[in-house]
Amino acid sequence: MEERKMIYLCLAHMSEEGWEQKYVKEAFDTNWVVPMGPNVNAFEQDLAAFANANSDGSRLDRRVVCLSAGTAAVHLALLACGVGPGDEVCVQSFTFCASSHPITYLGATPVFIDSERDTWNMDPDLLEQAILDRKAQTGRYPKAIVPVALYGMPYNCERIMAIADKYGIPVVEDAAEGMGSRFDGQVLGTFGRFGVLSFNGNKMITTSGGGALICRDAEDANTIMWYATQARDAYPYYEHTAIGYNYRMSNICAGIGRGQMTVLADHIAHHKHVQALYEQLLKDVPGVTLHCQPADPRYDANFWLCAATLDADVRIKGQENAYKEVIKTAVGGAAGVIKAVESATTDCQPNDNVEALRMFMLNKKVECRPVWKPMHKQPVYKDAPAYVNGVSEAIFKVGFCLPAGPYVSDDDVRYIVACIKEAIEA
Ligand SMILES: *Cc1c(COP(=O)(O)O)cnc(C)c1O
């Protein structure tokens, strides 16, 4: 039998026609090998066309600015909202660090907001409580609100936007994982003042690395573009009245992005298909609960990753070996260097059976990862204010992510579910 290939969480997938390489070649042929150019402009147009098209056929008028990373997009959006030293920003705690780190880049303090049960995203009640409490404690309202479409699931756009409007606080939607997810037929990232997209290698589409900001109007887009190109004033020489950044997207990367736009709709459809299959196959596996979208038909998730939870009383084969060894390499071969640690455990980690399942699946050549560890439980944020209800911490202990995306076939999903069943001790 042919040896099984590793099934990864989410891999980059190029168009069959090779559009990505055609646009990249065009950049070389015309010598636009710089962080601007025809591919960047065209990719921005394509992204705006996509973001502006509501399901009911009506259209919005947002602008899009391409940047070097989603993290850069969060950073500049906050900067344009006026976030600076001493300010506070309300951010969803249950997220990847790129939602909150840029707050600290600006010398501001994140105020972490816990999640609601059904979407796993920012709890609107806690958000309002935090806004009022920060005002009472510091005399000032938070400068911005950052909800996150965790694994592509829309946050409660209606309530979060209503609260933001009530207190006049701008919203930066972190839709990095939620490209193509919709709420009430409208694309995520178009509700707030800014919407963040990411084109990292594992996201819904990729430019190898890159990001974009969906902006309310031409003025905001212009400000973002200015900050992204070192904030230069109109003189024959470089005159600076503000600190800028080198955050513009390369014309080479934008060529990949243009090609990827031809497969975006297919990718979204495939992610939804994989989720539907998991829903069907995991239905009768006791102790395993797939994370599904709320019954409210306005929610339309892209299911960037499929997530599930494992009941604490389920015993997994090999569970006695969980956390016995210090991890030597980044989980899933994630990029970069990870700092060596002394201990295999922390005071807040997934349950032993979840770790055992990860190891079992890895042996079966299936990548299965813990869900994001909430930011309010991260040592680096131990002093940041947090408004918590226990939801994200509880999900972190029982949650795990399963492979999704264009390379995951129906056969793979059946195999993955069979492996999960095999992992559970009778
Ligand atoms: C991927 C991601 C980002 C942006 O990441 P980049 O790798 O810098 O493009 C931001 N927020 C969340 C929640 C993400 O998952």
Side-chain angles (χ1 to χ4, degrees):
M1 209 181 91
E2 202 187 326
E3 213 194 325
R4 232 177 211 286
K5 279 219 255 354
M6 183 77 192
I7 308 172
Y8 291 99
L9 272 195
C10 189
L11 287 180
H13 175 264
M14 298 300 125
S15 65
E16 304 282 335
E17 299 83 357
W19 285 111
E20 293 84 358
Q21 293 191 44
K22 283 179 205 161
Y23 288 123
V24 168
K25 183 169 183 304
E26 207 172 279
F28 277 92
D29 291 346
T30 55
N31 205 26
W32 278 103
V33 189
V34 280
M36 61 172 176
N39 280 335
V40 179
N41 300 339
F43 187 32
E44 287 176 343
Q45 298 288 319
D46 291 350
L47 287 165
F50 155 78
N52 284 325
N54 295 330
S55 300
D56 66 2
S58 62
R59 299 194 62 82
L60 303 168
D61 188 24
R62 305 286 188 267
R63 306 299 161 101
V64 176
V65 178
C66 285
L67 299 167
S68 55
T71 311
V74 177
H75 189 180
L76 292 189
L78 293 167
L79 182 67
C81 287
V83 174
D87 288 332
E88 292 187 334
V89 173
C90 289
V91 56
Q92 184 167 319
S93 181
F94 202 9
T95 186
F96 175 59
C97 63
S99 308
S100 58
H101 282 1
I103 298 167
T104 68
Y105 301 170
L106 291 163
T109 304
V111 173
F112 292 112
I113 313 293
D114 212 333
S115 291
E116 49 177 11
R117 260 266 149 221
D118 55 352
T119 65
W120 294 9
N121 291 325
M122 183 179 272
D123 182 324
D125 293 326
L126 274 183
L127 169 65
E128 186 159 27
Q129 193 187 314
I131 290 170
L132 293 173
D133 194 53
R134 296 326 292 167
K135 176 77 164 92
Q137 291 207 28
T138 69
R140 296 193 305 152
Y141 284 123
K143 267 288 181 61
I145 298 167
V146 186
V148 182
L150 204 67
Y151 306 123
M153 186 68 70
Y155 22 83
N156 188 333
C157 291
E158 185 178 49
R159 288 205 55 209
I160 288 173
M161 289 313 301
I163 293 165
D165 289 346
K166 182 171 167 189
Y167 299 99
I169 305 172
V171 172
V172 175
E173 297 180 69
D174 185 345
E177 301 176 2
M179 185 177 191
S181 298
R182 290 168 188 268
F183 185 83
D184 205 14
Q186 189 178 322
V187 168
L188 286 196
T190 60
F191 289 85
R193 179 161 170 200
F194 292 105
V196 172
L197 298 177
S198 167
F199 314 119
N200 204 344
N202 58 357
K203 293 285 161 72
M204 190 54 79
I205 59 166
T206 187
T207 58
S208 70
L213 264 183
I214 302 173
C215 307
R216 272 267 140 181
D217 51 35
E219 197 185 332
D220 270 352
N222 208 44
T223 304
I224 296 299
M225 205 107 63
W226 184 67
Y227 277 126
T229 50
Q230 304 287 27
R232 288 167 297 151
D233 293 351
Y235 294 96
Y237 41 88
Y238 276 40
E239 178 88 358
H240 302 289
T241 51
I243 300 293
Y245 299 86
N246 180 11
Y247 277 174
R248 200 72 168 116
M249 179 179 278
S250 139
N251 195 53
I252 301 295
C253 294
I256 304 173
R258 281 180 85 182
Q260 287 273 282
M261 287 307 280
T262 66
V263 291
L264 173 60
D266 289 347
H267 282 195
I268 294 169
H270 191 85
H271 280 255
K272 290 180 180 180
H273 169 77
V274 167
Q275 168 78 13
L277 199 51
Y278 277 125
E279 278 184 27
Q280 186 193 324
L281 298 174
L282 282 170
K283 210 162 42 202
D284 44 31
V285 180
V288 177
T289 311
L290 195 68
H291 179 37
C292 299
Q293 67 190 1
D296 181 338
R298 293 177 302 173
Y299 286 86
D300 180 8
N302 65 5
F303 292 105
W304 170 60
L305 289 186
C306 299
T309 57
L310 182 66
D311 288 355
D313 58 2
V314 174
R315 217 181 143 79
I316 297 292
K317 289 177 183 149
Q319 195 168 318
E320 60 285 356
N321 298 322
Y323 296 116
K324 287 291 184 296
E325 271 183 56
V326 174
I327 298 273
K328 301 270 179 359
T329 55
V331 172
V337 166
I338 55 169
K339 186 166 151 267
V341 291
E342 301 285 315
S343 157
T345 59
T346 67
D347 62 359
C348 175
Q349 62 186 23
N351 289 337
D352 285 0
N353 63 352
V354 173
E355 172 60 7
L357 182 64
R358 184 189 70 78
M359 296 190 301
F360 186 93
M361 298 301 274
L362 192 60
N363 266 322
K364 295 285 185 183
K365 297 203 166 180
V366 177
E367 188 186 12
C368 171
R369 271 201 220 179
V371 295
W372 303 127
K373 178 165 176 170
M375 289 302 133
H376 75 275
K377 300 301 292 182
Q378 297 287 358
V380 76
Y381 285 126
K382 65 181 185 314
D383 297 326
Y387 293 79
V388 297
N389 54 17
V391 168
S392 64
E393 187 177 352
I395 297 171
F396 174 61
K397 289 178 177 163
V398 297
F400 61 95
C401 294
L402 291 167
Y407 281 114
V408 177
S409 66
D410 288 13
D411 180 55
D412 289 338
V413 176
R414 284 189 206 99
Y415 170 74
I416 290 165
V417 172
C419 290
I420 294 173
K421 286 181 178 165
E422 191 188 330
I424 297 172
E425 280 195 349

